[in-house]
Amino acid sequence: MQTKEVIAIDGPAGAGKSTVAKAVAKQLGFLFLDTGAMYRCVALLATRAGLGPNVGEAAARLAQQAKIEFRPGDPQVVMLNGENVTQEIRQPPIGDLASQLSVHSAVRQVLVRSQQEMCSVGRVVMEGRDTTTVVCPEARLKIFMTASEDERARRRWLELKQRGVDADLEELKHQIRERDHRDSTRPDSPLRVSKDAVVLDTDGMSIDQVVERVLSEWSARQT
Ligand code: DC
């Protein structure tokens, strides 16, 4: 199969995919495509429209009308219909609703199409749940990045703390478990390990070590 100049990284919530994908993209001068942010944008629009988690078609219509743009920055700036929603989409209830809405095939179809357009030219590092299996199975490098539940909860807790949000560690663990279950058991494009993915268990690894490993896997795939 012809491969694309794309690195696709999938894995469960809190595995550190975004941090690593962003650093790798920076090193290589590639675009960083955070597919989860797009589901979060739809969840934000749904929240504002007073929609619950069970309205797939209505949420898909919102997704269709949404103009989602990524702009460089640290963190990367997410613009939704011209509004900067970078912070707002990171709120835990928006993440939960994103996971619930992502179960609907109608929503997935709209977002996957747009993600495929964004990565069609190559030179992209993308991360999410189905980037290695559905969005870009022809990616030259596929990574499944994971970490233990305890470690992921701890990382989420630290990340929220840095943003001034005081969260309860046990509650975060519970949310992560629930989200993992939903993301892995939905019928359409569940989170799973693509058979040609490099599996990286990042427990005990620093961000720099993970980034190095991804970069060396990438170099090994250049002809
Ligand atoms: O990676 P994240 O926490 O920002 O993603 C939020 C939710 O969006 C996640 O729980 C499931 C959904 N999602 C998805 O279904 N497919 C993707 N490629 C990315 C995210």
Side-chain angles (χ1 to χ4, degrees):
M1 183 170 65
Q2 188 76 5
T3 60
K4 264 205 191 115
E5 206 178 11
V6 170
I7 301 177
I9 305 176
D10 285 332
K17 304 180 301 283
S18 276
T19 313
V20 169
K22 194 166 44 184
V24 169
K26 194 172 173 192
Q27 291 257 353
L28 296 173
F30 284 17
L31 181 85
F32 162 46
L33 179 51
D34 175 356
T35 62
M38 299 172 74
Y39 288 89
R40 286 170 180 266
C41 281
V42 175
L44 178 60
L45 289 174
T47 303
R48 288 177 178 176
L51 299 179
N54 301 319
V55 286
E57 292 297 332
R61 274 194 297 278
L62 290 176
Q64 224 142 22
Q65 290 152 12
K67 184 166 186 263
I68 302 169
E69 296 163 280
F70 294 102
R71 296 195 182 154
D74 194 14
Q76 187 179 58
V77 176
V78 183
M79 302 293 292
L80 171 61
N81 297 329
E83 176 191 350
N84 183 341
V85 294
T86 315
Q87 299 295 339
E88 210 173 344
I89 58 168
R90 295 294 149 201
Q91 299 299 326
I94 298 293
D96 273 343
L97 185 60
S99 169
Q100 289 168 316
L101 290 174
S102 73
V103 164
H104 301 291
S105 297
V107 173
R108 304 201 69 81
Q109 272 169 22
V110 176
L111 295 185
V112 167
R113 201 175 311 128
S114 144
Q115 288 154 11
Q116 286 174 334
E117 268 169 32
M118 287 192 240
C119 77
S120 61
V121 285
R123 297 181 64 79
V124 171
V125 182
M126 60 184 354
E127 61 94 355
R129 304 294 187 287
D130 62 345
T131 67
T132 60
T133 54
V134 177
V135 180
C136 193
E138 62 279 35
R140 192 169 304 158
L141 173 60
K142 301 182 201 178
I143 304 272
F144 187 87
M145 191 178 295
T146 187
S148 65
E149 201 176 272
D150 279 355
E151 178 64 19
R152 290 186 286 126
R154 200 183 61 83
R155 289 181 192 167
R156 262 285 141 91
W157 182 84
L158 269 177
E159 183 193 319
L160 288 169
K161 194 174 166 64
Q162 275 159 7
R163 294 212 314 264
V165 182
D166 240 337
D168 179 74
L169 190 61
E170 284 308 313
E171 176 58 26
L172 283 180
K173 229 181 269 182
H174 172 73
Q175 284 170 3
I176 279 188
R177 207 170 299 142
E178 233 180 23
R179 189 110 82 87
D180 283 355
H181 179 72
R182 193 182 310 113
D183 294 349
S184 317
T185 56
R186 67 181 178 222
D188 188 353
S189 323
L191 170 67
R192 63 178 176 83
V193 186
S194 163
K195 61 181 182 311
D196 47 358
V198 176
V199 178
L200 280 185
D201 184 340
T202 64
D203 267 25
M205 285 175 88
S206 69
I207 298 290
D208 287 349
Q209 285 171 325
V210 183
V211 170
E212 278 309 311
R213 175 71 195 280
V214 174
L215 288 170
S216 85
E217 294 284 349
W218 179 249
S219 304
R221 280 161 183 76
Q222 307 310 304
T223 45

